Amino acid sequence: MAIRQAPRMLAATPLRVRLVVAFSLLVMMALLVTGFAVTTILRTYLVGQVDEDLARPLSGRQLDGGDMPGDSGPFEPDRAEYYALATAAGERFNATTNGLGVSPPQLSALRIRSAGSEPFTVRAAGGGPAWRVVVRPTNVAVNGEQALFVRAIS
């Protein structure tokens, strides 16, 4: 019964109302598509920026903690960084962060062992923001095994 009345209701609705509803629906769809596209592009761009930073070699001051917060600079870092050495078996030692108070990355021994040369994303161990992590071989040997350098940015 209601289906038969729909064409009559549509015919009885003024053209102005129908055009406003159609235009509003088109604008809403355009905003949804644009919002999704912009969010996707921005996320890809920002992850790419972090990946470029991970690919950049560290200075000796960064490894010694010289560029960490509390130094003579007027600005605190805007993101958390994590550094660790690990054995080829995935056992971590000498792990440090830049002190921003976020949980370290949740890295299992298997994940460290199986990491390739490309950055990957992991969760924080105690919840919180995700980390982009890269694992690189070093020329340091620990117990006869080559040590791996783990660097992460949140």
PDB file of all heavy atoms in Angstrom, residues 1 6 8 23 26-27 29 31 37 55 58 62-63 67-68 74 77 79 94 128 134 139 150:
ATOM      1  N   MET A   1       0.819  -1.187   0.000  1.00  0.00           N
ATOM      2  CA  MET A   1       0.000   0.000   0.000  1.00  0.00           C
ATOM      3  C   MET A   1       0.867   1.256   0.000  1.00  0.00           C
ATOM      4  O   MET A   1       0.595   2.178  -0.734  1.00  0.00           O
ATOM      5  CB  MET A   1      -0.901  -0.058   1.229  1.00  0.00           C
ATOM      6  CG  MET A   1      -1.937   0.995   1.248  1.00  0.00           C
ATOM      7  SD  MET A   1      -3.400   0.315   0.512  1.00  0.00           S
ATOM      8  CE  MET A   1      -4.585   1.344   1.239  1.00  0.00           C
ATOM      9  N   ALA A   6       3.960   6.055  -2.878  1.00  0.00           N
ATOM     10  CA  ALA A   6       5.233   6.745  -3.065  1.00  0.00           C
ATOM     11  C   ALA A   6       5.259   7.585  -4.335  1.00  0.00           C
ATOM     12  O   ALA A   6       5.673   8.749  -4.281  1.00  0.00           O
ATOM     13  CB  ALA A   6       6.375   5.744  -3.052  1.00  0.00           C
ATOM     14  N   ARG A   8       2.795   8.969  -5.829  1.00  0.00           N
ATOM     15  CA  ARG A   8       1.881  10.102  -5.620  1.00  0.00           C
ATOM     16  C   ARG A   8       2.522  11.146  -4.706  1.00  0.00           C
ATOM     17  O   ARG A   8       2.381  12.338  -4.948  1.00  0.00           O
ATOM     18  CB  ARG A   8       0.570   9.616  -4.998  1.00  0.00           C
ATOM     19  CG  ARG A   8      -0.363   9.030  -6.033  1.00  0.00           C
ATOM     20  CD  ARG A   8      -1.715   8.800  -5.432  1.00  0.00           C
ATOM     21  NE  ARG A   8      -2.072   7.414  -5.706  1.00  0.00           N
ATOM     22  CZ  ARG A   8      -2.882   6.687  -5.016  1.00  0.00           C
ATOM     23  NH1 ARG A   8      -3.469   7.177  -3.942  1.00  0.00           N
ATOM     24  NH2 ARG A   8      -3.149   5.450  -5.349  1.00  0.00           N
ATOM     25  N   PHE A  23      20.312  17.972  -4.315  1.00  0.00           N
ATOM     26  CA  PHE A  23      21.560  18.718  -4.224  1.00  0.00           C
ATOM     27  C   PHE A  23      22.260  18.439  -2.894  1.00  0.00           C
ATOM     28  O   PHE A  23      23.476  18.251  -2.843  1.00  0.00           O
ATOM     29  CB  PHE A  23      21.292  20.220  -4.394  1.00  0.00           C
ATOM     30  CG  PHE A  23      22.525  21.058  -4.358  1.00  0.00           C
ATOM     31  CD1 PHE A  23      23.411  21.066  -5.430  1.00  0.00           C
ATOM     32  CD2 PHE A  23      22.825  21.829  -3.247  1.00  0.00           C
ATOM     33  CE1 PHE A  23      24.551  21.826  -5.391  1.00  0.00           C
ATOM     34  CE2 PHE A  23      23.969  22.598  -3.203  1.00  0.00           C
ATOM     35  CZ  PHE A  23      24.834  22.597  -4.276  1.00  0.00           C
ATOM     36  N   LEU A  26      23.936  15.068  -3.028  1.00  0.00           N
ATOM     37  CA  LEU A  26      25.153  15.121  -3.843  1.00  0.00           C
ATOM     38  C   LEU A  26      26.299  15.799  -3.091  1.00  0.00           C
ATOM     39  O   LEU A  26      27.442  15.326  -3.135  1.00  0.00           O
ATOM     40  CB  LEU A  26      24.882  15.853  -5.149  1.00  0.00           C
ATOM     41  CG  LEU A  26      24.121  15.071  -6.212  1.00  0.00           C
ATOM     42  CD1 LEU A  26      23.780  15.975  -7.398  1.00  0.00           C
ATOM     43  CD2 LEU A  26      24.950  13.894  -6.674  1.00  0.00           C
ATOM     44  N   VAL A  27      26.016  16.879  -2.398  1.00  0.00           N
ATOM     45  CA  VAL A  27      27.048  17.577  -1.626  1.00  0.00           C
ATOM     46  C   VAL A  27      27.565  16.670  -0.514  1.00  0.00           C
ATOM     47  O   VAL A  27      28.776  16.587  -0.265  1.00  0.00           O
ATOM     48  CB  VAL A  27      26.506  18.909  -1.061  1.00  0.00           C
ATOM     49  CG1 VAL A  27      27.446  19.484  -0.011  1.00  0.00           C
ATOM     50  CG2 VAL A  27      26.296  19.906  -2.188  1.00  0.00           C
ATOM     51  N   MET A  29      27.633  13.378  -0.427  1.00  0.00           N
ATOM     52  CA  MET A  29      28.459  12.326  -1.031  1.00  0.00           C
ATOM     53  C   MET A  29      29.825  12.883  -1.443  1.00  0.00           C
ATOM     54  O   MET A  29      30.856  12.231  -1.228  1.00  0.00           O
ATOM     55  CB  MET A  29      27.749  11.715  -2.245  1.00  0.00           C
ATOM     56  CG  MET A  29      26.542  10.875  -1.882  1.00  0.00           C
ATOM     57  SD  MET A  29      26.938   9.482  -0.820  1.00  0.00           S
ATOM     58  CE  MET A  29      27.929   8.511  -1.929  1.00  0.00           C
ATOM     59  N   LEU A  31      31.422  15.407  -0.118  1.00  0.00           N
ATOM     60  CA  LEU A  31      32.208  15.647   1.089  1.00  0.00           C
ATOM     61  C   LEU A  31      32.757  14.354   1.678  1.00  0.00           C
ATOM     62  O   LEU A  31      33.900  14.311   2.141  1.00  0.00           O
ATOM     63  CB  LEU A  31      31.369  16.388   2.131  1.00  0.00           C
ATOM     64  CG  LEU A  31      31.095  17.864   1.836  1.00  0.00           C
ATOM     65  CD1 LEU A  31      30.118  18.436   2.847  1.00  0.00           C
ATOM     66  CD2 LEU A  31      32.380  18.658   1.817  1.00  0.00           C
ATOM     67  N   ALA A  37      39.440  10.659   0.674  1.00  0.00           N
ATOM     68  CA  ALA A  37      40.623  10.782  -0.188  1.00  0.00           C
ATOM     69  C   ALA A  37      41.713  11.618   0.486  1.00  0.00           C
ATOM     70  O   ALA A  37      42.889  11.233   0.488  1.00  0.00           O
ATOM     71  CB  ALA A  37      40.235  11.399  -1.526  1.00  0.00           C
ATOM     72  N   ALA A  55      65.166   6.059   7.490  1.00  0.00           N
ATOM     73  CA  ALA A  55      66.214   5.669   6.539  1.00  0.00           C
ATOM     74  C   ALA A  55      67.462   6.530   6.695  1.00  0.00           C
ATOM     75  O   ALA A  55      68.561   6.102   6.339  1.00  0.00           O
ATOM     76  CB  ALA A  55      65.690   5.775   5.112  1.00  0.00           C
ATOM     77  N   LEU A  58      71.844   8.045  11.732  1.00  0.00           N
ATOM     78  CA  LEU A  58      71.881   8.821  12.966  1.00  0.00           C
ATOM     79  C   LEU A  58      73.254   9.429  13.164  1.00  0.00           C
ATOM     80  O   LEU A  58      74.265   8.857  12.771  1.00  0.00           O
ATOM     81  CB  LEU A  58      71.584   7.915  14.162  1.00  0.00           C
ATOM     82  CG  LEU A  58      70.197   7.330  14.230  1.00  0.00           C
ATOM     83  CD1 LEU A  58      70.101   6.362  15.396  1.00  0.00           C
ATOM     84  CD2 LEU A  58      69.167   8.414  14.374  1.00  0.00           C
ATOM     85  N   GLN A  62      73.081  11.704  18.559  1.00  0.00           N
ATOM     86  CA  GLN A  62      71.785  11.071  18.795  1.00  0.00           C
ATOM     87  C   GLN A  62      71.964   9.723  19.481  1.00  0.00           C
ATOM     88  O   GLN A  62      71.217   9.379  20.376  1.00  0.00           O
ATOM     89  CB  GLN A  62      71.027  10.887  17.484  1.00  0.00           C
ATOM     90  CG  GLN A  62      70.458  12.174  16.942  1.00  0.00           C
ATOM     91  CD  GLN A  62      69.865  11.976  15.565  1.00  0.00           C
ATOM     92  OE1 GLN A  62      70.514  11.426  14.690  1.00  0.00           O
ATOM     93  NE2 GLN A  62      68.651  12.430  15.388  1.00  0.00           N
ATOM     94  N   LEU A  63      72.949   8.958  19.054  1.00  0.00           N
ATOM     95  CA  LEU A  63      73.176   7.644  19.657  1.00  0.00           C
ATOM     96  C   LEU A  63      73.653   7.747  21.098  1.00  0.00           C
ATOM     97  O   LEU A  63      73.358   6.904  21.924  1.00  0.00           O
ATOM     98  CB  LEU A  63      74.188   6.845  18.828  1.00  0.00           C
ATOM     99  CG  LEU A  63      73.686   6.392  17.470  1.00  0.00           C
ATOM    100  CD1 LEU A  63      74.809   5.723  16.700  1.00  0.00           C
ATOM    101  CD2 LEU A  63      72.510   5.454  17.609  1.00  0.00           C
ATOM    102  N   ASP A  67      71.103  14.573  21.523  1.00  0.00           N
ATOM    103  CA  ASP A  67      70.003  15.353  20.965  1.00  0.00           C
ATOM    104  C   ASP A  67      68.680  14.994  21.614  1.00  0.00           C
ATOM    105  O   ASP A  67      67.625  15.184  21.041  1.00  0.00           O
ATOM    106  CB  ASP A  67      69.905  15.128  19.444  1.00  0.00           C
ATOM    107  CG  ASP A  67      71.062  15.780  18.706  1.00  0.00           C
ATOM    108  OD1 ASP A  67      71.666  16.693  19.279  1.00  0.00           O
ATOM    109  OD2 ASP A  67      71.349  15.366  17.573  1.00  0.00           O
ATOM    110  N   MET A  68      68.733  14.482  22.799  1.00  0.00           N
ATOM    111  CA  MET A  68      67.527  14.077  23.500  1.00  0.00           C
ATOM    112  C   MET A  68      66.963  15.255  24.283  1.00  0.00           C
ATOM    113  O   MET A  68      67.623  16.273  24.452  1.00  0.00           O
ATOM    114  CB  MET A  68      67.829  12.906  24.438  1.00  0.00           C
ATOM    115  CG  MET A  68      68.273  11.664  23.705  1.00  0.00           C
ATOM    116  SD  MET A  68      66.969  11.073  22.624  1.00  0.00           S
ATOM    117  CE  MET A  68      67.742   9.654  21.920  1.00  0.00           C
ATOM    118  N   PRO A  74      65.745  25.093  22.971  1.00  0.00           N
ATOM    119  CA  PRO A  74      64.525  25.621  23.576  1.00  0.00           C
ATOM    120  C   PRO A  74      63.286  24.759  23.322  1.00  0.00           C
ATOM    121  O   PRO A  74      62.260  24.972  23.936  1.00  0.00           O
ATOM    122  CB  PRO A  74      64.373  26.984  22.910  1.00  0.00           C
ATOM    123  CG  PRO A  74      64.999  26.799  21.566  1.00  0.00           C
ATOM    124  CD  PRO A  74      66.141  25.841  21.791  1.00  0.00           C
ATOM    125  N   PRO A  77      61.367  17.583  21.693  1.00  0.00           N
ATOM    126  CA  PRO A  77      61.017  16.845  20.469  1.00  0.00           C
ATOM    127  C   PRO A  77      59.513  16.636  20.387  1.00  0.00           C
ATOM    128  O   PRO A  77      58.832  16.562  21.409  1.00  0.00           O
ATOM    129  CB  PRO A  77      61.764  15.520  20.625  1.00  0.00           C
ATOM    130  CG  PRO A  77      62.044  15.403  22.071  1.00  0.00           C
ATOM    131  CD  PRO A  77      62.133  16.783  22.625  1.00  0.00           C
ATOM    132  N   ARG A  79      58.048  14.057  18.810  1.00  0.00           N
ATOM    133  CA  ARG A  79      57.687  12.654  18.627  1.00  0.00           C
ATOM    134  C   ARG A  79      58.628  11.772  19.430  1.00  0.00           C
ATOM    135  O   ARG A  79      59.759  12.158  19.736  1.00  0.00           O
ATOM    136  CB  ARG A  79      57.722  12.276  17.162  1.00  0.00           C
ATOM    137  CG  ARG A  79      59.095  12.387  16.563  1.00  0.00           C
ATOM    138  CD  ARG A  79      59.070  12.076  15.105  1.00  0.00           C
ATOM    139  NE  ARG A  79      60.417  12.158  14.577  1.00  0.00           N
ATOM    140  CZ  ARG A  79      60.685  12.223  13.313  1.00  0.00           C
ATOM    141  NH1 ARG A  79      59.721  12.208  12.439  1.00  0.00           N
ATOM    142  NH2 ARG A  79      61.910  12.288  12.897  1.00  0.00           N
ATOM    143  N   ASN A  94      70.273  -2.834  25.687  1.00  0.00           N
ATOM    144  CA  ASN A  94      70.611  -1.422  25.470  1.00  0.00           C
ATOM    145  C   ASN A  94      69.472  -0.652  24.817  1.00  0.00           C
ATOM    146  O   ASN A  94      69.686   0.144  23.913  1.00  0.00           O
ATOM    147  CB  ASN A  94      71.877  -1.276  24.616  1.00  0.00           C
ATOM    148  CG  ASN A  94      73.126  -1.470  25.415  1.00  0.00           C
ATOM    149  OD1 ASN A  94      73.071  -1.569  26.633  1.00  0.00           O
ATOM    150  ND2 ASN A  94      74.257  -1.527  24.753  1.00  0.00           N
ATOM    151  N   GLY A 128      48.666   2.944  23.334  1.00  0.00           N
ATOM    152  CA  GLY A 128      49.127   4.257  22.902  1.00  0.00           C
ATOM    153  C   GLY A 128      49.360   4.279  21.410  1.00  0.00           C
ATOM    154  O   GLY A 128      48.906   3.397  20.669  1.00  0.00           O
ATOM    155  N   VAL A 134      62.280   0.126  12.057  1.00  0.00           N
ATOM    156  CA  VAL A 134      63.195  -0.422  11.061  1.00  0.00           C
ATOM    157  C   VAL A 134      64.302  -1.164  11.815  1.00  0.00           C
ATOM    158  O   VAL A 134      64.727  -0.736  12.882  1.00  0.00           O
ATOM    159  CB  VAL A 134      63.764   0.685  10.130  1.00  0.00           C
ATOM    160  CG1 VAL A 134      64.687   1.620  10.858  1.00  0.00           C
ATOM    161  CG2 VAL A 134      64.456   0.086   8.927  1.00  0.00           C
ATOM    162  N   ASN A 139      77.874  -3.697  12.523  1.00  0.00           N
ATOM    163  CA  ASN A 139      79.146  -4.422  12.483  1.00  0.00           C
ATOM    164  C   ASN A 139      79.555  -4.849  13.884  1.00  0.00           C
ATOM    165  O   ASN A 139      80.685  -5.194  14.102  1.00  0.00           O
ATOM    166  CB  ASN A 139      80.307  -3.623  11.888  1.00  0.00           C
ATOM    167  CG  ASN A 139      79.955  -2.292  11.351  1.00  0.00           C
ATOM    168  OD1 ASN A 139      78.827  -1.912  11.291  1.00  0.00           O
ATOM    169  ND2 ASN A 139      80.948  -1.562  10.944  1.00  0.00           N
ATOM    170  N   VAL A 150      67.770  -1.555  16.170  1.00  0.00           N
ATOM    171  CA  VAL A 150      66.325  -1.346  16.055  1.00  0.00           C
ATOM    172  C   VAL A 150      66.054   0.113  16.330  1.00  0.00           C
ATOM    173  O   VAL A 150      66.434   0.634  17.384  1.00  0.00           O
ATOM    174  CB  VAL A 150      65.547  -2.224  17.075  1.00  0.00           C
ATOM    175  CG1 VAL A 150      64.064  -1.992  16.960  1.00  0.00           C
ATOM    176  CG2 VAL A 150      65.896  -3.686  16.889  1.00  0.00           C
TER     177      VAL A 150
END
